[in-house]
Amino acid sequence: MPSRPGLDRASIVEAAGRLADEAGLDRLTLSGLAGRLGVRTPSLYNHIDGLDGLRRELALSGIQELNRHLQRAAIGKESDKALESMLHAYRVFAHERPGVYEAILRAPNPDSMRMQEASNAILDTVLTVLEPYGLTREDSIHTVRAFRAIGHGFVSLEASGVFVGMDLATDDSFRRLIFVFLRGLKSLNKIELT
Amino acid sequence: MPSRPGLDRASIVEAAGRLADEAGLDRLTLSGLAGRLGVRTPSLYNHIDGLDGLRRELALSGIQELNRHLQRAAIGKESDKALESMLHAYRVFAHERPGVYEAILRAPNPDSMRMQEASNAILDTVLTVLEPYGLTREDSIHTVRAFRAIGHGFVSLEASGVFVGMDLATDDSFRRLIFVFLRGLKSLNKIELT
DNA sequence: TTGACGAACTAAATATATTAGTTTATAGTT
DNA sequence: AACTATAAACTAATATATTTAGTTCGTCAA
């Protein structure tokens, strides 16, 4: 049904993602994006709801992409191995798509329906991996939160340059953090059994 | 020696902090700030280096304030108790000063000299608390990174609304995360002794 | 062929940051 | 007490962005 074979929402969001990755999220402007797409700025309004709307779309597609990465990382692995692999995938995603990752975090109105769904999809992904641990539903959710806090916390501090001063490989720090997390989980289990 | 007893850098940054806390960091504008301070926008340029400069100052003073909170939280406590108390203080700070906390993370050019110093001050604070654990210097730094990743990761996901969907007390999740972290640290120690 | 629809356009309003250059109050000096 | 240097605040103007209103025009379907 589109009259001219020009833009559509998906290609706009994709271009926006590339632009954000290259220049940083707050240098993603509608005029810059329009320029790169070869159209005038107001034309974008036919497909997206302004700058905030674009940011929301970007965040949404970013969450979905992140979820796919996490799922792929867990294929053919179980328990500790799966969690470890997913945390590494989380970090790789944030490194490769810094602008998109930023958009996920700084999403305006993250309480929308679609955003909730996408967020819950990630929750489900991790919950599935946690099944063999035999946790209660409550404990599982606590653990998912811990999982995400660890992945996000490390990656985002790393991105913000907090770690640069101390010359110590961040790879090692991350590996060690994962190790501490998994160990902590185990000892938590033991305690609950007593 | 200021001619008119009007503005100075400190009061500008302070007002900017309040504004950011109320409205969010990206609704902190120079014109809004000038309006609240009862001056014209360009007058701010006598004291700060534009909007980016203001954000840098805000981030810097925020880091210092955060450090003071962490130090206060560790007074009279040691080891696990001190770490736990500091993580709670970290979270409280982020809750009470959301705009300032955001400024810390999104600081433009975080590689400046003053920023490095302020960041290292936090490093020192945590390193001091870690002393009784008898870790190597390397392990200490890994642990500080884990400490910050956990505190920041949880707090920032919480702020971004990721946790809202699942109705489970975030307080409990945080407490549990701290517990897992401290347990993991212990078991790490044991391993290294074998 | 024609008419409806929607995409892209131009034009214009609004908001913001930023620079240049001017005014003026105050502090320190004569 | 008058004077001068200084720095703070000002006005004016420019540039860049977002956003809205209203127009043009290609394409698809009847």
Side-chain angles (χ1 to χ4, degrees):
Chain A
M1 344 296 195
S3 321
R4 256 166 283 184
L7 304 175
D8 64 351
R9 179 140 75 182
S11 59
I12 289 179
V13 172
E14 196 187 313
R18 277 197 300 270
L19 200 54
D21 286 338
E22 292 167 18
L25 184 63
D26 37 35
R27 263 180 285 252
L28 166 63
T29 65
L30 289 184
S31 42
L33 180 59
R36 176 174 298 206
L37 289 168
V39 298
R40 301 300 187 137
T41 310
S43 306
L44 300 175
Y45 281 76
N46 288 317
H47 306 279
I48 51 142
D49 189 16
L51 181 61
D52 267 16
L54 176 64
R55 292 200 181 121
R56 273 192 298 270
E57 293 297 327
L58 191 55
L60 185 61
S61 88
I63 292 178
Q64 291 163 346
E65 192 182 338
L66 173 57
N67 190 27
R68 284 193 295 274
H69 281 252
L70 292 180
Q71 288 176 333
R72 194 174 316 143
I75 290 174
K77 310 215 161 109
E78 70 161 15
S79 304
D80 283 13
K81 289 286 179 196
L83 286 178
E84 185 182 353
S85 171
M86 286 169 87
L87 281 170
H88 282 293
Y90 192 105
R91 182 160 173 246
V92 167
F93 175 78
H95 284 175
E96 285 177 353
R97 311 231 48 193
V100 172
Y101 185 71
E102 213 182 334
I104 294 179
L105 300 168
R106 289 178 43 199
N109 288 4
D111 33 81
S112 85
M113 199 58 185
R114 296 161 68 208
M115 207 75 94
Q116 280 300 330
E117 282 170 17
S119 207
N120 283 340
I122 291 194
L123 178 64
D124 284 343
T125 301
V126 186
L127 280 178
T128 304
V129 170
L130 287 180
E131 269 170 15
Y133 288 87
L135 302 172
T136 65
R137 166 137 189 104
E138 267 205 6
D139 274 351
S140 297
I141 294 184
H142 286 313
T143 306
V144 173
R145 286 177 174 175
F147 172 90
R148 295 192 70 177
I150 282 173
H152 164 60
F154 191 91
V155 154
S156 127
L157 289 181
E158 187 180 22
S160 81
V162 167
F163 294 158
V164 294
M166 358 174 185
D167 55 328
L168 186 64
T170 50
D171 278 17
D172 290 344
S173 297
F174 192 57
R175 245 186 289 277
R176 221 190 83 127
L177 173 57
I178 294 174
F179 189 81
V180 166
F181 173 55
L182 296 176
R183 278 291 166 153
L185 279 188
K186 279 211 198 333
S187 84
L188 192 67
N189 254 347
K190 274 182 219 143
I191 296 229
E192 281 166 354
L193 290 176
T194 5
Chain B
M1 336 327 200
S3 321
R4 256 168 285 185
L7 305 175
D8 63 353
R9 179 140 72 183
S11 59
I12 289 179
V13 172
E14 197 188 312
R18 277 196 300 269
L19 201 52
D21 286 337
E22 291 167 19
L25 184 63
D26 36 34
R27 263 179 286 250
L28 167 62
T29 65
L30 289 185
S31 43
L33 180 59
R36 177 174 298 209
L37 288 168
V39 298
R40 302 299 187 139
T41 309
S43 306
L44 299 174
Y45 282 76
N46 288 317
H47 305 279
I48 51 141
D49 190 15
L51 182 60
D52 267 16
L54 176 63
R55 292 199 181 121
R56 273 194 297 271
E57 293 297 327
L58 192 54
L60 185 61
S61 88
I63 292 179
Q64 291 163 346
E65 192 181 337
L66 173 58
N67 190 27
R68 282 193 297 274
H69 281 250
L70 293 179
Q71 287 176 332
R72 195 173 317 141
I75 290 176
K77 310 213 162 110
E78 71 161 15
S79 303
D80 283 13
K81 289 287 178 194
L83 286 178
E84 186 183 352
S85 170
M86 285 168 89
L87 281 169
H88 282 294
Y90 192 104
R91 182 160 174 248
V92 167
F93 175 78
H95 284 175
E96 285 178 353
R97 310 235 47 195
V100 172
Y101 185 71
E102 213 183 333
I104 293 179
L105 300 168
R106 292 179 40 200
N109 288 3
D111 33 83
S112 84
M113 198 58 184
R114 296 160 69 206
M115 207 73 95
Q116 281 299 331
E117 283 171 16
S119 207
N120 283 340
I122 290 194
L123 179 64
D124 283 342
T125 301
V126 185
L127 280 178
T128 304
V129 170
L130 287 179
E131 270 170 16
Y133 289 86
L135 303 170
T136 65
R137 165 138 189 103
E138 267 204 7
D139 275 350
S140 296
I141 294 185
H142 286 312
T143 306
V144 173
R145 287 178 174 173
F147 172 90
R148 295 192 69 176
I150 284 172
H152 165 60
F154 191 91
V155 154
S156 128
L157 289 181
E158 187 179 20
S160 81
V162 167
F163 295 158
V164 293
M166 359 174 185
D167 54 330
L168 185 63
T170 51
D171 278 17
D172 289 345
S173 297
F174 192 57
R175 245 186 289 279
R176 222 189 83 127
L177 174 57
I178 294 174
F179 190 80
V180 167
F181 173 56
L182 295 177
R183 278 289 166 155
L185 278 188
K186 278 210 198 335
S187 84
L188 192 68
N189 254 347
K190 274 181 218 141
I191 297 230
E192 280 166 357
L193 289 175
T194 0

